[in-house]
Amino acid sequence: MIYLSPPDVTEAEEAALVRAIRSGWVAPLGPEVTAFEAEVAAATGRAHAVALSSGTAALHLGLLLLGVRPGDVVVCSSMTFAATANAITYVGAEPWFVDADASANLNPDLLRQALATADAEGRRVGAVVPVDLFGHVVDHDRIDPIAAAAGVPLLCDAAESLGATYAGRPSGSFGELAALSFNGNKVITTSGGGALLTDDAAVAERARYLATQARQPARHYEHTEVGYNYRLSNLLAALGRAQLARLDAMVARRREIRLRYRELLGGLPGVRFLGQPEAEAGATTDNYWLTSILVEPDLAGFSSEQLGAALTAAGIESRPLWKPLHLQPVFAGARAELDGTGQWLFEHGLSLPSGSALTDDQLDTVIGVLAKVVASA
Ligand SMILES: *Cc1c(COP(=O)(O)O)cnc(C)c1O
């Protein structure tokens, strides 16, 4: 079986885990966590990173730290993994979805409209949560001023975009706060984990406090607030450090994979790639987390379903794009600012095997299967 984006672990990660175990720091926190936080902050151009048990935990704490309250609206991308909106419900707020534009990221014009409508209805908007889909950073030149004009802070869901840049700045450096994920399928992994990024030392300190059961500094375990068990363990932080040291190489490998797919499919009528066009990549670069294509069957002579079925038959994993959350039964009835683009992308899109651990032989196999479908069109 060839997977979409499996973990890419080597002897370096194995050695890091053994080092952490032998150091005796197996009890949750320890020096690997502190070092990992400093390295993640440096990699994302932030003053502080707080290592957490998941990206979802980072989003949840991020919303709490921005002061989002029950009954608030939180405006977020519709085209994303459910975790983005799940976290909004954890704080008792209501997700208000904004459709994608052709880039599959949040449409700034529809964001402006959603904020205006919420304001006209007298709703308090606690935060805007844009998502860097598949490793392509959102259009901050447009989105940030719109949120700022409405007086609403940004919590950037950068779970998929570690290692990407926008206008020369690293992913994760945008917004009041940003959330990363180190889940098993992401660009780097701690098997499970995440981080909350901030430039405010007090916010980082409060995030660490809330993530350790809101425990007051007293010998007898004193608590004045409800907290969470959200910290990353020292062992997993060691794994994360070994992964982060390889981030550039892993992004470079994912880029090579993107270029191979472009070679085969790039010039075909009716086929389009999501993400930054290679020719325009400069100060804005993807991390190439997933290579995703859009296929218009009338023009291409084949569909994304046909490609996906041929890959499945050959033991190769592929996936449709995230099903927009406004179409998910669990969020039926949620407010949304839509123009149909997300649904179109969902119905025509396919994500291809993109993991940095993919070997050249495996990539040749995938390309061979795709080439056959293309040739028979
Ligand atoms: C993976 C992901 C998350 C959640 O991260 P976990 O570490 O799995 O909790 C949140 N948002 C997006 C867009 C993701 O892709």
Side-chain angles (χ1 to χ4, degrees), residues 53-57 59 79-84 131-133 157-160 180-186 192-194 289 322:
S53 53
S54 70
T56 309
L59 290 167
M79 191 120 204
T80 179
F81 181 47
T84 314
V131 180
D132 300 336
L133 210 73
D157 183 343
E160 302 177 359
L180 299 179
S181 168
F182 311 124
N183 190 29
N185 62 351
K186 297 287 162 44
W289 176 52
W322 297 126

Side-chain angles (χ1 to χ4, degrees), residues 21-53:
I21 288 172
R22 290 197 181 145
S23 75
W25 289 95
V26 174
L29 291 166
E32 302 281 356
V33 173
T34 309
F36 185 48
E37 289 184 334
E39 289 160 11
V40 169
T44 54
R46 285 286 194 175
H48 305 278
V50 178
L52 299 168
S53 53

